[in-house]
């Protein structure tokens, strides 16, 4: 009788472990990581704010496009 209980218990534990391993992690546990704030720069020509890695850099100034960089240079 004790042996039967032991086997049932062992099986139950195995089943629990297996279930835990099979269940995919709930998404709720994963905190939605906020997007890292990119450095924003301002276009010298039109004043548009854009991420630094999308900007055109020239002499420490930033532009939203090559066109605006050229326009700024023309205005100088
Ligand atoms: Zn611009």
């Amino acid at each position: 009788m004790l042996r039967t209980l032991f086997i049932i218990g062992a099986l139950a534990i195995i089943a629990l472990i297996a279930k835990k391993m099979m269940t995919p992690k709930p998404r709720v546990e994963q905190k939605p990581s906020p997007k890292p704030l990119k450095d924003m720069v301002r276009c010298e020509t039109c004043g548009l704010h854009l991420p630094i890695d999308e900007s055109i850099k020239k002499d420490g100034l930033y532009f939203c496009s090559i066109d605006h960089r050229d326009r700024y240079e023309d205005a100088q």
Side-chain angles (χ1 to χ4, degrees), residues 43-48 50 63-65 68:
C43 172
E44 286 296 325
T45 303
C46 69
L48 181 86
L50 69 158
F63 302 92
C64 66
S65 60
H68 278 185

Side-chain angles (χ1 to χ4, degrees), residues 43-46 56-59 61-76:
C43 172
E44 286 296 325
T45 303
C46 69
I56 313 292
K57 198 182 175 188
K58 168 82 175 160
D59 298 335
L61 298 171
Y62 299 96
F63 302 92
C64 66
S65 60
I66 292 161
D67 180 50
H68 278 185
R69 183 199 63 192
D70 293 347
R71 216 186 281 184
Y72 182 84
E73 284 179 331
D74 289 346
Q76 295 302 296

